[in-house]
Structures are given as structure tokens and as C-alpha cells.
Amino acid sequence: MEIPIRVTLKQLYLGEVLDVEYTRQVVCVEASSCEKKNQDCQGPGVKLRVQQLAPGFVQQIQVSDPSCVARGKAWKSPCKACPKGMTEEEEIQLTVDIQAGMKDGDKIKFDQVADEAVGHTPGDLIFVVRQVSDPRFLRDGDDLRTTITVSLEEALVGFEKFIDHLDGRRVKITKEDISVCGDVVKIVGEGMPKRGSKNARGDLYVDLTIIFPKKFSIQQKNLLRQALAMNA
């Protein structure tokens, strides 16, 4: 049984322990008293049937029969000991450990806690991590990506800005030289935690979007020409 569990990028960055309530089917406590002999039953859910092909010729085939609970045993219905049938609902509490650095699609398995059935070993319950989109950061493996805007002045003379990281820290982004459209600032070690490692992290890539003024006055144009001419 696979169940998606939706988590935020922040939860995958920090890690979090979640308490989950799961309702499953369990075998009735008095199930054994509701069984009867049936030699046609070959195993759980399987019955042997004899089919006549022609006079003097018969064939034995296996067919599905949910009343068969074991070899030589079938379910006796109705049965006072188990009025709800072979199984009944049970609520269990599970602790799901979202480890820092987990990725979308990772799985957390609980052995043999899925639905029970008479004559069968319970299957595994698997939670599949599904990350909801984040409004500020895009994840790429262990790296993170975000975008900031800078003015034309900041693009020409450099800038110092701060962004709020997923854990609430203020991360400084600086660039001293000229920026052009499409420039990316790389901040080493500010990406996602690498699962299974104490301190290793990916990197943070910051895309720069430059905001240009809508127009310049004549005086501003002249000053720009002078400044650019001096740098030619």
C-alpha cells in the first residue's frame, strides 16, 4: 500500500517528525472459530473446481473464491463471533520521520502494517514523499535556486542584498562588479542538506533580474554619456 504524503520544501530542508493516523483492516480476533472444513479450498482465496469436458473426461482448475481462507478451510458466514466479517477496522498511530535532505519520490516503509487478510501476511505500508511547490525556491537535486531583482544602478556599481532562507536565516548576496541580464550568483553551501551527511549541503544559485528605468531626463542622459565615455 503506497500513500503520498505532501510536505513543504521547508520540511525537507529542516526535517520533521509527523504523527500520522492510519485506518487499516485487521483480522477478526475470533476468526478461527468462524472457519469450516472445505476440501476444495487450496489456499487463501483459491478453490479447486472440477469441470467436465466430455463424457468420461474431467479437468480440475483453480478458481478465485474469497471464502477460502486456507488449505481445506473456508469462512463460515454468517458467524456470531465475527459479525462484521473476516476483518474489522483498526486505527493505528505511526511516526513518520521526514529526514532533512529527502527528495520528492523518496519512500518511508513500515513493514507489515497494511491491511490484514485471513491466511495472508500483511503487506507493507509505504509513504511516498511529495513536495509541494515553494513560492521562492526551486530545488534541483541538492541545490536551490531563487531570483532577486536589482536596479540598474546596482547592476552597474554592485550591490549587497539579503534574502530569507528556509530556516529563517538572513543570507547575504553581494556582487561588486557589473551585472548583466542572465547573471547568476553562486553561494556555496547554502543549498539543501545532503541526506546521510552531517554537514554537507548543496549550493544556492541566485538569478539576477535587472530593472531598467522607463526613461531618462536629458541631464541624466548627458551624465551617463560622460560616465560611459570615461570608462571607454
Side-chain angles (χ1 to χ4, degrees):
M1 172 72 71
E2 290 193 355
I3 298 177
I5 183 167
R6 297 172 67 82
V7 294
T8 64
L9 185 60
K10 180 179 179 179
Q11 288 173 307
L12 294 175
Y13 183 86
L14 297 174
E16 188 170 341
V17 176
L18 304 176
D19 293 324
V20 177
E21 186 177 272
Y22 175 65
T23 302
R24 65 172 184 164
Q25 293 292 321
V26 295
V27 174
C28 174
V29 176
E30 301 294 333
S32 59
S33 63
C34 292
E35 295 176 355
K36 62 181 180 180
K37 293 183 179 180
N38 187 329
Q39 297 305 316
D40 292 335
C41 288
Q42 300 299 298
V46 179
K47 184 177 183 179
L48 188 67
R49 189 174 72 185
V50 177
Q51 179 176 325
Q52 185 171 354
L53 301 178
F57 293 93
V58 295
Q59 180 184 35
Q60 291 183 331
I61 59 173
Q62 288 186 343
V63 295
S64 175
D65 189 338
S67 68
C68 290
V69 296
R71 188 176 185 87
K73 293 181 181 180
W75 186 260
K76 181 172 58 178
S77 181
C79 178
K80 292 182 179 180
C82 298
K84 296 181 180 179
M86 299 182 194
T87 61
E88 54 193 10
E89 285 190 352
E90 177 190 61
E91 290 185 354
I92 58 174
Q93 299 292 328
L94 299 173
T95 299
V96 180
D97 184 12
I98 304 296
Q99 298 178 10
M102 275 188 161
K103 300 176 182 178
D104 186 87
D106 281 352
K107 297 181 178 181
I108 304 168
K109 186 174 74 168
F110 292 85
D111 295 332
Q112 296 185 10
V113 297
D115 291 345
E116 294 181 354
V118 177
H120 292 275
T121 300
D124 300 331
L125 179 63
I126 301 173
F127 289 97
V128 183
V129 174
R130 292 301 180 205
Q131 181 211 314
V132 299
S133 60
D134 188 88
R136 297 185 299 123
F137 294 95
L138 179 66
R139 183 175 185 177
D140 182 12
D142 293 322
D143 297 328
L144 289 174
R145 200 168 202 105
T146 191
T147 301
I148 63 171
T149 58
V150 297
S151 66
L152 179 59
E153 177 187 352
E154 291 171 325
L156 293 174
V157 303
F159 61 87
E160 178 181 295
K161 288 181 174 291
F162 291 86
I163 62 170
D164 294 325
H165 212 313
L166 289 165
D167 58 358
R169 290 181 299 110
R170 300 272 287 169
V171 178
K172 184 168 69 172
I173 304 168
T174 59
K175 197 168 189 291
E176 297 181 355
D177 52 356
I178 295 173
S179 301
V180 298
C181 292
D183 273 0
V184 179
V185 179
K186 177 182 177 181
I187 306 177
V188 176
E190 286 293 355
M192 293 292 293
K194 294 187 178 181
R195 188 181 177 189
S197 176
K198 285 188 176 181
N199 300 314
R201 293 177 179 269
D203 302 322
L204 173 63
Y205 293 86
V206 183
D207 296 298
L208 304 182
T209 298
I210 302 173
I211 304 298
F212 286 84
K214 292 183 178 180
K215 63 179 181 179
F216 288 113
S217 66
I218 295 177
Q219 182 180 7
Q220 289 173 325
K221 290 179 181 179
N222 290 332
L223 289 173
L224 280 171
R225 291 189 183 100
Q226 293 175 18
L228 294 173
M230 293 174 60
N231 196 45

